[in-house]
Amino acid sequence: MKLIQESFPVTEEEYMLLDNKFGELCEYQAWQLIKKNTNNNHTDSQEDIAQDMRMALLRAASYYKRQCYIEECFEVCKEHAKDKVIKSVLKRLVNLWKNKTRHGANKQKFGPHEEKMLDKLVKGVVPIKERPDRKAPLRMDSKFATYCKAITWNAQKSLGKKITREKSIRTGMVSL
């Protein structure tokens, strides 16, 4: 996770756009979490929870930038690949990417190793001027908006579960 956020960083301008577009959602989610857990004696304030939601936004932005980059690499490699071996390796990587969310014993993973293979394919096959840029700006399209909302709602649920799990610990707390 840390590697992805370092490889696909979110700039300050992108963060400002994210905060303008999704900041109120983060505040609403924090308020809703506080409201639902009033009897749990949680120690986090609404501002702390809202900041956790904003961190989830940053994580979502980095992951989406990575996703866009990988999909662009596949498209460009398909155009320029002429060798059968390169085409077969590319086909295998595309299949891994398409099935990355499949669950079960045969779960396939598109991880750092596959990403390095894809980068080497791009460097070996695609001319420099046509290569996708890792530092490309974040695309804030409807697909990203849906993805971002899902990530923040999942983060809110995770925080809510944590508050509920820790309730028994906090009930024995003594305030001075």
Side-chain angles (χ1 to χ4, degrees), residues 155-172:
Q156 182 201 27
K157 286 180 185 177
S158 175
L159 284 171
K161 286 179 184 176
K162 180 182 170 191
I163 290 169
T164 304
R165 268 194 318 263
E166 293 176 353
K167 179 182 179 184
S168 60
I169 298 169
R170 285 189 303 273
T171 53

Side-chain angles (χ1 to χ4, degrees), residues 32-103:
Q32 199 173 38
L33 193 61
I34 292 286
K35 188 176 113 185
K36 285 181 181 177
N37 292 292
T38 54
N39 297 331
N40 285 349
N41 301 328
H42 54 85
T43 57
D44 291 342
S45 68
Q46 183 173 336
E47 292 81 21
D48 291 338
I49 295 171
Q51 289 304 317
D52 286 339
M53 296 296 115
R54 284 184 174 85
M55 292 299 291
L57 281 177
L58 291 174
R59 194 170 49 252
S62 290
Y63 275 68
Y64 192 72
K65 284 174 109 175
R66 175 182 178 255
Q67 180 178 336
C68 292
Y69 171 76
I70 289 172
E71 290 172 356
E72 286 177 18
C73 286
F74 286 145
E75 290 174 19
V76 174
C77 280
K78 282 180 186 177
E79 291 175 15
H80 295 282
K82 293 182 178 33
D83 186 43
K84 287 184 180 182
V85 175
I86 292 174
K87 285 183 178 180
S88 68
V89 170
L90 184 63
K91 185 178 179 182
R92 181 181 159 273
L93 290 174
V94 169
N95 285 335
L96 279 174
W97 180 254
K98 286 181 180 176
N99 295 321
K100 67 184 178 287
T101 58
R102 193 170 70 179
H103 298 288

Side-chain angles (χ1 to χ4, degrees), residues 122-133:
V122 169
K123 288 178 182 174
V125 174
V126 180
I128 295 173
K129 293 180 181 179
E130 296 182 35
R131 291 180 188 164
D133 183 18

